[in-house]
Amino acid sequence: KTRQQVDPMLQGKSMWKATLAIVKQGGPFALLAGLGPTAIGYLLEGGIKFGIYEVSKPFTHRLLGGMAAFLSLPGLDSKVISLTLCGLIAGTAASLMLSPMEALRIRMVSDSEYAGKSSIDAMTLMIRREGLSSISKGLPAMLLKQVPYTITKNCSFDILTMSAYRILRGMGYAITANVKIAVPLFSAVAAAVLSCISSHPGDMLLSLVNAHEGPKRTREFAKEILHGEDGARGFFVGIKPRFLHVIIIVTVQLMIYDFAKRLVGIAATGL
């Protein structure tokens, strides 16, 4: 996905042909480039994101309830607004944690000079060449990716499960153990699709910013894409392989998230 976004030679190819081209050029292990920073970055990002999202729910609920009463605006005391605010807070925190590791991962994937190095050696080389700003220059793009991604993924999962359980109860169905598997599963797949679409422009910008050395910033890359041959469609290069990745990862994430909540005595998502 990242290689398609930053390598013009792969942008016109299908996901399968691009994969074959990468393997032919660098061998099968080329597909594992950047695995170290991916594992470290997303371990921290996932813990921070899901933790803050869940913990902030009571806070945002009380905050919006108080504001609604003070301002005489009952519409503020909304479950959707509350969940969106939780997603905004969690996505921002996750971006701060993930940005340095994503900068390193993208450079290791896109630049052959970094590909064979360990995570520590590659990070040292980046900082020595470009300074500490090299691991933080992608933060604006990371926020454009992670905040919509978190809001869409977590909030839509909550809302979809809540709506599904409400509809099933209204139709007279019992909420059995099988229902508690089927509802989160279908909701998780839908949330994965929506979050992939909403966050892909930010993902595209993140890949471009971090793949290139120098002071060029997110705003400049965005202008280049908009004024390019594909226009706004240029923000969605590489979305097909990312669909495959995100649907699998997010579905598994959200199913584990729902099961872990129940395991510690918290009600299933949506109930």
Side-chain angles (χ1 to χ4, degrees):
K1 183 272 300 181
T2 302
R3 286 286 298 277
Q4 277 195 310
Q5 290 174 328
V6 302
D7 188 344
M9 297 298 292
L10 297 177
Q11 286 181 3
K13 297 181 183 293
S14 67
M15 181 176 66
W16 176 245
K17 289 182 178 179
T19 301
L20 290 177
I22 292 169
V23 171
K24 184 178 180 180
Q25 182 183 8
F29 287 104
L31 298 174
L32 297 178
L35 180 60
T38 297
I40 296 168
Y42 281 95
L43 175 67
L44 296 171
E45 179 262 355
I48 291 292
K49 177 193 293 183
F50 282 97
I52 289 179
Y53 179 76
E54 199 62 36
V55 168
S56 62
K57 284 180 179 179
F59 167 74
T60 58
H61 178 68
R62 288 195 299 269
L63 175 66
L64 291 171
M67 290 178 63
F70 180 75
L71 299 172
S72 300
L73 293 172
L76 278 177
D77 192 8
S78 161
K79 185 78 171 177
V80 174
I81 297 175
S82 177
L83 293 174
T84 302
L85 188 55
C86 291
L88 173 64
I89 297 167
T92 302
S95 297
L96 295 172
M97 296 299 297
L98 185 57
S99 189
M101 289 296 102
E102 273 291 86
L104 179 59
R105 178 194 69 81
I106 290 167
R107 189 62 62 86
M108 291 175 74
V109 169
S110 63
D111 191 332
S112 58
E113 190 173 351
Y114 289 81
K117 297 184 180 297
S118 68
S119 298
I120 294 174
D121 289 342
M123 179 72 81
T124 302
L125 180 60
M126 278 182 64
I127 294 173
R128 188 169 67 244
R129 283 185 170 179
E130 303 171 56
L132 282 172
S133 63
S134 62
I135 62 173
S136 62
K137 69 178 183 179
L139 183 58
M142 177 61 77
L143 288 166
L144 290 173
K145 172 187 174 180
Q146 275 292 329
V147 172
Y149 178 71
T150 305
I151 290 174
T152 312
K153 178 177 72 173
N154 291 54
C155 298
S156 62
F157 182 64
D158 270 10
I159 292 166
L160 288 169
T161 51
M162 203 164 24
S163 301
Y165 285 130
R166 187 182 298 123
I167 291 169
L168 289 171
R169 280 172 168 162
M171 296 172 65
Y173 288 100
I175 307 301
T176 64
N178 287 336
V179 170
K180 288 183 180 180
I181 294 174
V183 167
L185 179 59
F186 286 111
S187 299
V189 173
V193 172
L194 293 171
S195 62
C196 183
I197 295 170
S198 70
S199 63
H200 199 75
D203 183 81
M204 178 66 184
L205 289 170
L206 183 68
S207 293
L208 291 174
V209 170
N210 285 320
H212 293 85
E213 295 186 14
K216 200 170 179 182
R217 298 303 183 196
T218 303
R219 188 187 308 109
E220 297 168 73
F221 282 107
K223 287 180 180 178
E224 283 185 3
I225 292 173
L226 282 172
H227 296 144
E229 184 179 342
D230 294 330
R233 286 183 302 169
F235 285 110
F236 292 91
V237 172
I239 195 168
K240 289 181 180 179
R242 189 162 180 258
F243 263 132
L244 178 64
H245 161 76
V246 169
I247 287 172
I248 293 171
I249 294 296
V250 169
T251 301
V252 172
Q253 276 183 350
L254 292 174
M255 291 300 289
I256 293 173
Y257 163 67
D258 188 56
F259 177 75
K261 285 170 63 178
R262 285 186 253 174
L263 199 63
V264 297
I266 303 173
T269 308
L271 288 176

